[in-house]
């Protein structure tokens, strides 16, 4: 078994959208390929809701970069889907030339400057949901998100052009920040695929009863769940941080950044490095909650972390 997080979708596996599955075949035959991730969602959630049928009401505006095609969703987000993936307070924003340009530039940056990371994006991402808060909703907007229940689809807002999580915020928008946030969620999806197909955690492990890891840099956030992370959440974060710190380091080595972009990436890198080292150490202390394969993954993560 591989000892790194998957970089490809396994042929014939549950996540293989090209496999000979009656539902997937039917969606391909009627030209509704954009709904296929929602067909997988039906089987993962097992609520009886026909998410793929609801997804048929979405329109898909194709975005193609370096031979990779992405479905940029338009129209109204069906309530049945929105409620399942915690987007009830959001709506799909209007497609504009400015947003298309920003999205294309972000993906193009990944393909040209971060080809390995772009390969991960094109493998594990098909659908793009650019959302904004509904009128009258008073809460802080998400930057980006993805849900293991909905494979291949990532969510982001206008904030993704300004914010590098956890705490770096730029007054100026940048397609480079958007590129990082797209990679952030694409990496989460690849980890979710791997965890769902391989036993990463020990027999009997449950997020509900997991020991918690204190997250000091989230101490100012009022929600307790953001201040103490379950082992699986911390594992996801450590894998993602390793990817993003490499992304930031590569960007900082280039000479085409604006002063604001450079300052933002420097700040984010300086903040992220001690965070990933802390998470790595905490996970190793809790290695008894991992399977033998999970322990091998931790060893690989340790090698990656030591190279940062």
């Amino acid at each position: 078994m591989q000892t790194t997080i998957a970089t490809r979708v396994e042929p014939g596996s549950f996540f293989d959208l090209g496999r000979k599955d009656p539902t997937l075949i039917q969606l391909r035959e009627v030209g509704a390929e954009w709904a296929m991730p929602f067909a997988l969602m039906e089987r993962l959630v097992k609520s009886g809701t026909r998410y793929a049928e609801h997804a048929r009401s979405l329109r898909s505006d194709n975005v193609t970069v370096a031979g990779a095609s992405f479905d940029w969703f338009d129209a109204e987000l069906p309530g049945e889907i929105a409620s399942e993936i915690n987007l009830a307070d959001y709506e799909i924003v209007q497609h504009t030339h400015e947003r298309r340009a920003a999205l294309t530039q972000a993906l193009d940056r990944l393909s040209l400057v971060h080809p390995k990371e772009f390969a991960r994006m094109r493998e594990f991402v098909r659908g793009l949901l650019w959302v904004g808060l509904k009128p009258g909703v008073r809460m802080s907007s998400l930057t980006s998100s993805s849900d293991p229940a909905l494979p291949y689809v990532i969510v982001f807002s206008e904030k993704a052009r300004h914010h590098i999580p956890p705490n770096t915020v730029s007054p100026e928008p940048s397609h480079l920040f958007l590129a990082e946030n797209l990679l952030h969620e694409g990496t989460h999806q690849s980890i979710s695929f791997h965890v769902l197909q391989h036993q990463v955690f020990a027999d009997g492990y449950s997020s509900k009863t997991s020991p918690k890891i204190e997250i000091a840099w989230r101490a100012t956030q009022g929600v307790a769940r953001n201040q103490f992370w379950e082992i699986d959440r911390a594992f996801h974060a450590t894998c993602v941080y390793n990817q993003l710190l490499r992304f930031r380091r590569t960007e900082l080595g280039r000479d085409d950044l604006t002063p604001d972009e450079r300052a933002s990436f420097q700040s984010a890198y300086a903040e992220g490095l001690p965070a990933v080292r802390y998470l790595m150490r905490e996970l190793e202390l809790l290695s008894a909650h991992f399977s033998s394969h999970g322990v091998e993954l931790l060893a690989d993560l340790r090698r990656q972390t030591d190279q940062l």
Side-chain angles (χ1 to χ4, degrees):
M1 185 181 292
Q2 59 190 10
T3 57
T4 59
I5 295 298
T7 57
R8 299 294 303 272
V9 175
E10 296 179 19
S13 70
F14 172 81
F15 294 106
D16 180 3
L17 295 177
R19 63 188 168 88
K20 294 181 179 180
D21 174 90
T23 302
L24 299 180
I25 290 172
Q26 182 183 35
L27 291 171
R28 288 195 294 267
E29 287 177 345
V30 299
E33 288 89 349
W34 71 85
M36 290 195 291
F38 298 89
L40 300 185
M41 183 181 179
E42 292 178 13
R43 298 171 192 183
L44 289 169
V45 176
K46 298 179 182 178
S47 67
T49 303
R50 302 188 67 183
Y51 297 111
E53 286 302 310
H54 292 297
R56 295 275 293 273
S57 68
L58 292 171
R59 294 189 297 269
S60 174
D61 189 3
N62 185 261
V63 177
T64 300
V65 173
S69 294
F70 302 92
D71 294 312
W72 182 20
F73 294 125
D74 200 356
E76 183 178 351
L77 182 62
E80 295 84 355
I81 294 172
S83 61
E84 183 59 48
I85 58 175
N86 298 315
L87 291 179
D89 292 319
Y90 292 85
E91 61 185 3
I92 296 175
V93 299
Q94 181 182 6
H95 289 197
T96 64
H97 292 300
E98 180 186 0
R99 287 179 176 137
R100 172 174 277 277
L103 187 53
T104 302
Q105 287 176 328
L107 291 168
D108 198 49
R109 182 71 166 200
L110 286 171
S111 72
L112 293 173
V113 180
H114 309 273
K116 289 184 179 179
E117 289 78 3
F118 183 71
R120 184 180 295 271
M121 274 288 298
R122 71 186 298 169
E123 188 73 9
F124 295 99
V125 177
R126 296 288 186 277
L128 307 171
L129 276 170
W130 193 326
V131 302
L133 289 169
K134 291 179 178 178
V137 174
R138 298 185 180 278
M139 58 184 282
S140 178
S141 173
L142 62 79
T143 297
S144 64
S145 70
S146 57
D147 194 315
L150 179 51
Y152 288 110
V153 177
I154 63 175
V155 182
F156 53 95
S157 73
E158 178 65 24
K159 196 173 175 180
R161 298 174 66 195
H162 293 265
H163 178 212
I164 305 176
N167 296 314
T168 301
V169 180
S170 166
E172 299 295 327
S174 171
H175 66 281
L176 302 184
F177 305 152
L178 178 57
E180 172 170 320
N181 283 303
L182 295 177
L183 175 62
H184 183 146
E185 301 309 332
T187 303
H188 270 304
Q189 284 288 12
S190 71
I191 300 163
S192 295
F193 282 35
H194 192 99
V195 170
L196 286 167
Q197 292 184 106
H198 304 287
Q199 185 176 356
V200 174
F201 303 102
D203 289 337
Y205 173 81
S206 168
S207 293
K208 293 181 180 179
T209 59
S210 168
K212 303 297 190 295
I213 296 174
E214 184 174 4
I215 307 301
W217 58 91
R218 295 290 186 95
T220 59
Q221 298 184 7
V223 181
R225 186 176 182 276
N226 285 331
Q227 299 174 37
F228 296 89
W229 289 357
E230 302 82 359
I231 291 174
D232 52 306
R233 185 178 181 184
F235 176 73
H236 260 264
T238 307
C239 294
V240 170
Y241 266 124
N242 268 284
Q243 286 289 320
L244 299 186
L245 285 169
R246 284 170 170 75
F247 173 92
R248 294 168 189 173
R249 188 169 61 188
T250 298
E251 288 295 336
L252 288 170
R254 294 183 59 82
D255 59 7
D256 58 351
L257 274 63
T258 67
D260 178 71
E261 289 168 341
R262 184 169 299 280
S264 295
F265 280 127
Q266 286 173 336
S267 173
Y269 187 87
E271 184 179 34
L273 189 56
V276 75
R277 288 173 174 167
Y278 167 76
L279 288 172
M280 187 72 252
R281 183 173 65 253
E282 292 298 306
L283 287 174
E284 288 173 329
L285 292 173
L286 295 165
S287 62
H289 295 274
F290 287 80
S291 67
S292 58
H293 174 56
V295 171
E296 291 176 342
L297 292 177
L298 286 181
D300 184 67
L301 273 176
R302 165 54 68 187
R303 286 190 290 271
Q304 293 181 42
T305 302
D306 289 345
Q307 292 170 3
L308 291 171

